[in-house]
Amino acid sequence: MPLKLFELVGRDAARPFSPYCWRTRMALAHKGLSADTIPWRFTEKSVLVPYGSERVPVMLDGDRAVVDSWAIANHLEDAYPDRQSLFGGAGGRAMARFINSWGDIAILGGISPLVLADIPKLLDQVDADYFRTSREARFGKPLEEVMATRDQAVIGFRRSLEPLRQTLKAQPFIGGDAPDYADYIVFGGFQWARVVSPFKLLEETDSVYAWRERLLDAFDGLARKSPGFPV
Amino acid sequence: MPLKLFELVGRDAARPFSPYCWRTRMALAHKGLSADTIPWRFTEKSVLVPYGSERVPVMLDGDRAVVDSWAIANHLEDAYPDRQSLFGGAGGRAMARFINSWGDIAILGGISPLVLADIPKLLDQVDADYFRTSREARFGKPLEEVMATRDQAVIGFRRSLEPLRQTLKAQPFIGGDAPDYADYIVFGGFQWARVVSPFKLLEETDSVYAWRERLLDAFDGLARKSPGFPV
């Protein structure tokens, strides 16, 4: 039975944009697995109730529903041990937890105020309204106001990438000579930004830019071929 | 032939304080290895010239000199493969590179302005003068001025630990159920601070505080027994 993956989309069902879903997409490709996508939208919470989740990704593997990108990566690693490892051993799996947290905080938290107000443009009205209301409650101001200073804010975001930049002086990927789940964690955020916003996150001279290019090209251009803005 | 380790000290030769040397000390203990310490002071650059280094740690393993804490960790892992692994596999070794960079930037870079002016107090005059001159050139102002705002600055430092805090919600160490080199990278900075300064970096209710306690207790209290201030 093929794997099934609920993925966040907007008006265009073929334009998945969730950073967490992109972590999973890349992880599946790394394992040489494919999944049938089930497009899912912000306001379709009821669809996920049977799986005990309110958000995506949710992956169905036979009878089993796996909820949350981190849990899915672990499930793929454990359920498909003969395929290319996502973590490169127990140490990598544990350390990827830390990188997952850094990815959530520095990457997703850093990118969010730079692209947020571009997201409703991709959504149907009901989802756009939900997105705006829930996120404006979180930020305490209109999305456009959060994003108004992005030309300045992006400088701080670029500075926050310094640990990644230092790593890339020594090796082409966080995973070493080849990418692994640690890379997909971080890349998911950049791909999210690329799909939802024309805003330029990185300068072309940045080693992080070159790293992102390598991941856009990975798996026969999986991420680059998916609809999005040029980077 | 026993291992030899050049370690940074000040007036008290039995009070090693370099965060990089502490990464190495913990790595040696993890491998069940011991090294004879060769106390080294900031202005003794000429002593290290034969090893092609200007700073410590420098480790001598037989005929071989290994320079830099990251290189030493890798040497220990490769030269003593039958002992407890520092990285838990190839994935962990690659990802630890990233954590090493995060440790240098967020931890050492974050702690430095909070403790800097306390360091000369531990040094002989010639080293204190060297330390002050070189660091004041780097910061562009007196050390005391850098440190004057530490009661405010520590709040930002604590906030920067959030990726570690999130990780510790899932597991007791960055290395998982037990500490590994990823933990020692980060802990080295905290131990440095403990040895050189009475300043309180962490609140007792912080999960990072509890994690630090566990590492202070590791290897029969290796780090806690070394001279320093109470935390």
Side-chain angles (χ1 to χ4, degrees):
Chain A
M1 196 153 73
L3 299 166
K4 290 193 174 67
L5 183 66
F6 288 93
E7 287 189 281
L8 180 67
V9 297
R11 203 178 305 119
D12 180 353
R15 189 175 179 130
F17 64 88
S18 153
Y20 306 102
C21 291
W22 271 102
R23 289 177 184 173
T24 297
R25 280 208 153 200
M26 299 295 280
L28 283 163
H30 183 98
K31 283 278 183 192
L33 297 166
S34 62
D36 293 343
T37 288
I38 308 171
W40 179 88
R41 293 166 188 85
F42 279 119
T43 52
E44 298 175 340
K45 305 263 184 225
S46 64
V47 174
L48 302 179
V49 168
Y51 311 112
S53 185
E54 286 212 315
R55 49 183 74 86
V56 291
V58 170
M59 195 181 73
L60 308 182
D61 189 354
D63 289 343
R64 182 157 171 196
V66 192
V67 167
D68 173 78
S69 59
W70 176 255
I72 292 171
N74 280 271
H75 171 79
L76 293 175
E77 187 76 345
D78 295 332
Y80 303 92
D82 297 338
R83 294 170 180 249
Q84 180 78 23
S85 171
L86 282 166
F87 298 118
R93 192 189 298 227
M95 292 184 212
R97 252 288 182 194
F98 175 84
I99 296 170
N100 203 67
S101 301
W102 185 80
D104 288 350
I105 294 163
I107 300 295
L108 305 189
I111 290 175
S112 180
L114 309 177
V115 304
L116 215 56
D118 290 328
I119 294 178
K121 300 169 194 167
L122 300 173
L123 307 176
D124 285 324
Q125 197 57 48
V126 57
D127 293 305
D129 290 346
Y130 164 82
F131 183 81
R132 182 173 291 280
T133 307
S134 58
R135 269 55 175 182
E136 291 188 349
R138 201 180 292 170
F139 281 90
K141 50 183 159 181
L143 301 185
E144 286 70 15
E145 216 173 286
V146 174
M147 219 172 71
T149 54
R150 69 176 168 181
D151 289 337
Q152 298 307 309
V154 73
I155 296 167
F157 170 70
R158 288 175 187 157
R159 200 178 306 123
S160 78
L161 301 174
E162 198 53 31
L164 177 53
R165 216 169 274 127
Q166 289 297 324
T167 305
L168 297 173
K169 283 184 185 174
Q171 55 199 41
F173 296 100
I174 308 174
D177 291 332
D180 67 10
Y181 195 65
D183 292 276
Y184 310 143
I185 287 167
V186 181
F187 176 74
F190 285 101
Q191 173 71 353
W192 167 48
R194 193 189 79 84
V195 175
V196 301
S197 174
F199 186 66
K200 300 274 181 210
L201 286 183
L202 299 172
E203 294 180 296
E204 288 185 32
T205 51
D206 192 340
S207 60
V208 178
Y209 183 100
W211 165 86
R212 184 182 59 182
E213 287 288 301
R214 293 193 286 278
L215 285 160
L216 284 166
D217 290 335
F219 313 121
D220 197 27
L222 172 70
R224 200 189 291 281
K225 286 176 187 165
S226 198
F229 293 93
V231 290
Chain B
M1 196 153 74
L3 299 167
K4 290 193 175 67
L5 182 66
F6 288 93
E7 288 189 281
L8 180 66
V9 298
R11 203 178 302 119
D12 181 352
R15 189 176 179 130
F17 64 89
S18 152
Y20 306 103
C21 291
W22 271 103
R23 290 178 183 172
T24 298
R25 280 208 153 200
M26 299 294 281
L28 283 163
H30 182 97
K31 284 277 183 193
L33 297 167
S34 62
D36 292 343
T37 289
I38 309 171
W40 179 88
R41 292 165 189 85
F42 280 120
T43 52
E44 297 174 343
K45 305 262 185 226
S46 63
V47 175
L48 302 180
V49 168
Y51 312 113
S53 184
E54 287 212 315
R55 48 183 74 86
V56 291
V58 170
M59 195 182 73
L60 308 181
D61 188 354
D63 289 344
R64 180 156 173 197
V66 191
V67 167
D68 173 79
S69 59
W70 176 256
I72 292 171
N74 280 270
H75 171 79
L76 293 175
E77 187 76 345
D78 295 333
Y80 302 93
D82 297 337
R83 293 170 180 249
Q84 180 78 24
S85 171
L86 283 166
F87 298 117
R93 191 189 299 226
M95 292 184 213
R97 253 290 182 193
F98 175 85
I99 295 169
N100 204 67
S101 301
W102 185 80
D104 289 350
I105 293 163
I107 300 295
L108 305 189
I111 290 175
S112 181
L114 309 178
V115 305
L116 215 56
D118 290 327
I119 294 177
K121 300 170 194 168
L122 300 172
L123 307 177
D124 284 326
Q125 197 58 50
V126 58
D127 293 305
D129 290 347
Y130 164 81
F131 183 83
R132 181 173 292 281
T133 307
S134 57
R135 271 53 177 183
E136 291 188 347
R138 200 179 293 168
F139 281 90
K141 50 184 157 181
L143 300 185
E144 286 72 13
E145 218 173 284
V146 174
M147 220 172 71
T149 54
R150 68 176 168 181
D151 288 336
Q152 299 307 310
V154 73
I155 296 167
F157 171 70
R158 287 174 188 158
R159 200 178 307 123
S160 79
L161 301 174
E162 199 52 32
L164 177 52
R165 217 168 273 127
Q166 288 298 326
T167 305
L168 297 173
K169 283 185 185 174
Q171 55 199 41
F173 296 100
I174 308 175
D177 291 333
D180 67 10
Y181 195 65
D183 292 275
Y184 310 143
I185 287 167
V186 181
F187 176 74
F190 285 101
Q191 173 71 351
W192 167 48
R194 192 189 81 85
V195 175
V196 301
S197 175
F199 186 65
K200 300 273 180 211
L201 287 183
L202 299 172
E203 294 180 296
E204 288 185 31
T205 51
D206 193 339
S207 60
V208 178
Y209 183 100
W211 165 85
R212 184 182 60 182
E213 286 289 300
R214 291 193 287 277
L215 285 160
L216 284 166
D217 290 335
F219 313 121
D220 198 26
L222 173 69
R224 199 190 292 280
K225 285 176 186 165
S226 199
F229 294 92
V231 290

